[in-house]
Amino acid sequence: MKMLRRALIALGLAGMIAAVLRLRGTGGAPPTDGGWRELGPDELD
């Protein structure tokens, strides 16, 4: 019984942490600068 109670408490804490992390996320747009660029012939070496 003690082990079951500890398992339920651990699952509850993990769920609460996951909910907090999900709510804190802003979900903003991805960055618009940087990324891939075309290489010139002298940069291919």
Side-chain angles (χ1 to χ4, degrees):
M1 189 66 184
K2 188 185 252 186
M3 192 167 139
L4 179 63
R5 186 179 300 147
R6 285 185 183 176
L8 289 175
I9 290 172
L11 285 175
L13 285 174
M16 285 177 16
I17 291 171
V20 167
L21 290 177
R22 182 175 287 246
L23 290 176
R24 280 188 57 210
T26 59
T32 56
D33 57 344
W36 294 90
R37 67 178 178 87
E38 195 169 335
L39 294 177
D42 55 336
E43 295 177 305
L44 294 176
D45 294 337

